[in-house]
Amino acid sequence: MTARSILVYHPEPGEAQAYARLIKQPKPSCAVAVCATPTEALQHIGDAEILYAWNFPRELLPRGAKLRWAQSMGAGVERLMAPELPRRVRVTRVAGIFGPWMAEYVLGWCLWLTQRTELFRAQQRERRWRQADPLRLHGATLCVVGLGDIGRTVSGAARAFGMRIVGVSRSGRKVAKVDRVYKTRDIRKAVAGADFVALTVPLTETTHGLIGAAELAAMKPSAWLINIARGPVVDEAALLDALRGNRLGGAVLDVFDEEPLPQGHPLWELDNVVITPHISGPSTPGEIAPIFNDNLRRYVAGRALRYEVDRKRGY
């Protein structure tokens, strides 16, 4: 019997090796190929039964003749939802890892604003003593768009600061620690009273452009948008227009339509924008490995896989 073959792919060679080293082999053991470039992956994708990958080249997916299961190294699986991936391939994502990271990111930047960090650091550099009261995060309203694992974790962390939480989900069902939940169709009502709007939805056909000109216009002129979802969830042109016109307090952006963000992009120039390089929910081999290893045991035993993606919904 031919051994099962696992293709580990990460565009950074050191990371690819780190993920591969943490694989706990089942019995019988699997053959493992480690790749960091499309050229390397092309040599192995035809033999791979299992794909364990981050940002795998989409154009190589149709070449996976033996592929049966793909495990993403992240929460987002939009690259694997491509029509190029054969329908027989089961896709699993990572869950339960990124919520705490992203909650710290969201609350950290909310506090950066309310504690007037930028102002006081500027005054420090000028050796200038000028008092200005901070703002209260307690009592402010946070709208969390997307109430999956990450969104619920962000909501719970914000509640610990005494914030009022409004949520948006497809179903509109009640969620613990969320004061009110709106259906997606009512998103403009949800964002209207928010001081901060955090985006935590997956990128799918229905969430592409979810935040457009109308949704931005519905927000308070003092509100801040925090995007830790995916860049295309927001209409970038509409966001630029709202920011330039001071119709929005500002935006904290960790994700973009094009990454890395081009040096000539106008977002770099705006004082009411914070740009971070897609670091709000880092994938670390030590945290991801237990999820993959558990699913590998399940796969070999013919059991149900955890965090399997519904290919129709896209998450």
Side-chain angles (χ1 to χ4, degrees):
M1 181 178 177
T2 304
R4 287 188 166 94
S5 175
I6 302 173
L7 171 54
V8 180
Y9 182 90
H10 195 289
E12 297 181 18
E15 289 291 291
Q17 292 290 344
Y19 279 101
R21 283 194 298 270
L22 292 172
I23 294 175
K24 290 187 177 180
Q25 288 278 7
K27 292 183 180 180
S29 61
C30 302
V32 178
V34 184
C35 303
T37 68
T39 301
E40 293 173 343
L42 178 60
Q43 299 175 25
H44 298 281
I45 186 62
D47 295 323
E49 181 178 344
I50 300 166
L51 177 64
Y52 182 25
W54 172 263
N55 283 348
F56 190 77
R58 186 175 288 185
E59 66 275 12
L60 297 185
L61 291 174
R63 296 176 178 267
K66 300 179 182 178
L67 200 60
R68 294 296 181 272
W69 165 40
Q71 169 73 59
S72 170
M73 292 172 179
V77 293
E78 66 274 5
R79 291 180 70 91
L80 293 173
M81 292 296 99
E84 292 90 342
L85 184 70
R87 299 299 301 179
R88 68 174 182 276
V89 181
R90 302 162 71 184
V91 178
T92 53
R93 61 186 177 85
V94 171
I97 298 296
F98 303 111
W101 283 105
M102 291 180 151
E104 291 183 15
Y105 180 96
V106 170
L107 270 299
W109 286 109
C110 287
L111 287 165
W112 167 83
L113 182 69
T114 59
Q115 291 298 309
R116 301 192 175 194
T117 306
E118 199 82 5
L119 170 66
F120 294 128
R121 290 291 287 168
Q123 290 184 181
Q124 179 183 344
R125 287 190 290 270
E126 297 171 3
R127 300 178 183 238
R128 182 159 55 96
W129 181 284
R130 182 181 179 184
Q131 291 184 333
D133 291 338
L135 307 172
R136 287 302 304 272
L137 198 58
H138 188 284
T141 297
L142 170 66
C143 178
V144 180
V145 181
L147 292 172
D149 170 61
I150 293 169
R152 292 193 302 271
T153 303
V154 170
S155 298
R159 277 291 288 268
F161 278 82
M163 298 185 77
R164 177 176 179 268
I165 312 300
V166 172
V168 178
S169 70
R170 291 176 66 211
S171 67
R173 287 193 294 266
K174 291 183 178 180
V175 173
K177 299 182 180 179
V178 178
D179 297 286
R180 183 171 181 180
V181 180
Y182 291 83
K183 289 186 176 181
T184 306
R185 69 187 181 208
D186 296 320
I187 190 171
R188 295 174 200 170
K189 294 179 182 178
V191 303
D195 300 291
F196 301 93
V197 175
L199 308 179
T200 61
V201 292
L203 179 60
T204 66
E205 290 183 2
T206 57
T207 63
H208 194 288
L210 180 65
I211 304 298
E215 290 70 32
L216 294 167
M219 293 172 63
K220 297 193 296 188
S222 58
W224 278 67
L225 179 72
I226 304 173
N227 190 4
I228 54 174
R230 288 293 186 266
V233 170
V234 179
D235 182 329
E236 194 174 87
L239 178 60
L240 274 166
D241 188 55
L243 291 166
R244 285 168 168 163
N246 292 316
R247 296 190 300 277
L248 199 64
V252 177
L253 306 174
D254 188 51
V255 289
F256 305 88
D257 287 356
E258 182 181 353
E259 296 179 9
L261 188 66
Q263 289 188 355
H265 199 286
L267 282 170
W268 289 110
E269 303 169 4
L270 300 180
D271 291 334
N272 55 350
V273 171
V274 173
I275 292 172
T276 59
H278 204 145
I279 48 77
S280 61
S283 294
T284 58
E287 288 185 308
I288 308 301
I291 293 175
F292 176 74
N293 289 328
D294 177 47
N295 263 344
L296 181 58
R297 289 190 296 269
R298 290 167 176 268
Y299 179 82
V300 171
R303 297 165 56 201
L305 301 180
R306 297 182 70 197
Y307 313 127
E308 186 162 358
V309 173
D310 183 326
R311 295 281 294 269
K312 291 183 179 179
R313 291 193 305 180
Y315 60 92

